[in-house]
């Protein structure tokens, strides 16, 4: 849900981006930005008003939100930006490892030009994978009875790591951004191929 109070703290220049024809923000965000600019004394020509109202109407019509929870912002709008879903990132993280899910999340942040989010995700993924390998190695050497079920231990650790990625996304991803799901075919095939190579190497 878009908070008007949050948007009201933006500068006029930032608000102008919300009402541009190429704006990827949801209809409510565009509407609030337009109203705030009016309150600040910004004047619009008749053609600009018609353009903004048409933009808001079109966005409302296209905002067929598929998910408001796990994949918040996921829509069927063909004009929305393409990003990898949380579901895909979670599945790859749990099945193949946090590194794979983290890579997709980094690509998502880069796509929306959030370099800070990409950097934090990359740092977290590398550190977590290193810690996970140390834990797995320690258990294998010191607890042979547990090492027989090391797959399940690794599965649990990957699940915890995936939760960390989800938390980072929740904290740093724009609340008002809607996106459509990017195809999972390439990431899944790449993850399988890399996992097979690593299996034979190590």
């Amino acid at each position: 849900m878009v908070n008007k109070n949050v948007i009201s703290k933006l500068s006029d220049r930032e608000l102008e981006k919300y009402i541009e024809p190429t704006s990827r923000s949801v209809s409510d965000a565009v509407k609030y930005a337009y109203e705030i600019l009016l309150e600040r004394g910004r004047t619009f020509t008749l053609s600009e008003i018609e353009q903004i109202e048409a933009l808001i109407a079109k966005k409302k019509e296209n905002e067929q939100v598929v998910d408001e929870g796990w994949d918040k912002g996921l829509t069927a709008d063909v004009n929305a930006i393409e990003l990898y879903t949380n579901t895909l990132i979670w599945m790859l993280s749990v099945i193949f490892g946090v590194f794979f899910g983290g890579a997709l999340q980094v690509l998502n942040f880069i796509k929306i030009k959030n370099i800070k989010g990409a950097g934090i995700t990359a740092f977290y993924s590398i550190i977590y994978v290193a810690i996970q390998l140390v834990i797995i190695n320690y258990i294998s050497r010191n607890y042979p009875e547990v090492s027989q079920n090391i797959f399940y231990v690794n599965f649990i650790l990957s699940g915890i790591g995936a939760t960390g990625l989800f938390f980072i996304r929740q904290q740093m991803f724009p609340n008002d951004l809607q996106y459509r799901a990017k195809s999972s075919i390439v990431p899944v095939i790449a993850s399988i191929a890399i996992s097979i190579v690593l299996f034979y190497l190590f």
Side-chain angles (χ1 to χ4, degrees):
M1 181 178 293
V2 182
N3 190 321
K4 186 174 181 178
N5 290 329
V6 173
I7 295 180
S8 66
K9 296 177 182 178
L10 300 176
S11 66
D12 288 358
R13 179 175 294 183
E14 290 172 317
L15 292 174
E16 291 283 353
K17 294 180 180 179
Y18 277 78
I19 60 175
E20 291 177 353
T22 55
S23 172
R24 294 189 181 278
S25 298
V26 297
S27 60
D28 282 346
V30 177
K31 178 174 176 287
Y32 292 152
Y34 173 52
E35 291 174 349
I36 293 167
L37 284 171
L38 285 174
E39 292 169 1
R40 292 181 182 178
R42 166 76 153 85
T43 57
F44 295 91
T45 64
L46 182 59
S47 61
E48 286 177 327
I49 294 173
E50 291 176 348
Q51 182 181 342
I52 294 170
E53 291 178 346
L55 176 63
I56 295 172
K58 182 179 179 182
K59 284 183 173 292
K60 282 185 176 180
E61 182 180 346
N62 292 332
E63 282 169 2
Q64 305 168 30
V65 179
V66 177
D67 198 315
E68 281 292 350
W70 184 254
D71 281 312
K72 184 180 179 181
L74 181 63
T75 178
D77 183 1
V78 295
N79 296 311
I81 189 173
E82 272 191 326
L83 297 174
Y84 294 112
T85 65
N86 255 337
T87 301
L88 177 62
I89 292 173
W90 174 270
M91 289 177 60
L92 290 189
S93 297
V94 173
I95 298 173
F96 299 105
V98 172
F99 176 81
F100 295 92
L104 296 190
Q105 186 157 299
V106 167
L107 291 176
N108 276 353
F109 276 121
I110 292 175
K111 189 74 175 286
I112 64 172
K113 299 179 181 180
N114 186 335
I115 304 304
K116 183 178 180 181
I120 291 176
T121 298
F123 179 77
Y124 168 81
S125 300
I126 293 171
I127 296 299
Y128 190 87
V129 169
I131 293 174
Q132 185 172 348
L133 289 174
V134 170
I135 294 175
I136 293 298
N137 187 53
Y138 177 81
I139 293 176
S140 298
R141 289 185 176 183
N142 297 279
Y143 300 94
E145 67 282 359
V146 178
S147 63
Q148 295 177 359
N149 298 309
I150 201 66
F151 170 81
Y152 299 104
V153 175
N154 194 50
F155 187 80
I156 293 172
L157 290 174
S158 293
I160 295 173
T163 302
L165 286 177
F166 178 76
F167 178 77
I168 293 173
R169 179 185 169 103
Q170 289 295 96
Q171 295 299 311
M172 307 196 68
F173 209 74
N175 291 323
D176 64 335
L177 179 65
Q178 289 196 343
Y179 66 96
R180 57 192 172 105
K182 192 169 184 177
S183 174
S184 61
I185 295 176
V186 173
V188 170
I189 292 176
S191 298
I192 293 174
I194 294 173
S195 295
I196 292 174
V197 172
L198 292 176
F199 177 79
Y200 280 105
L201 287 177
F202 301 103

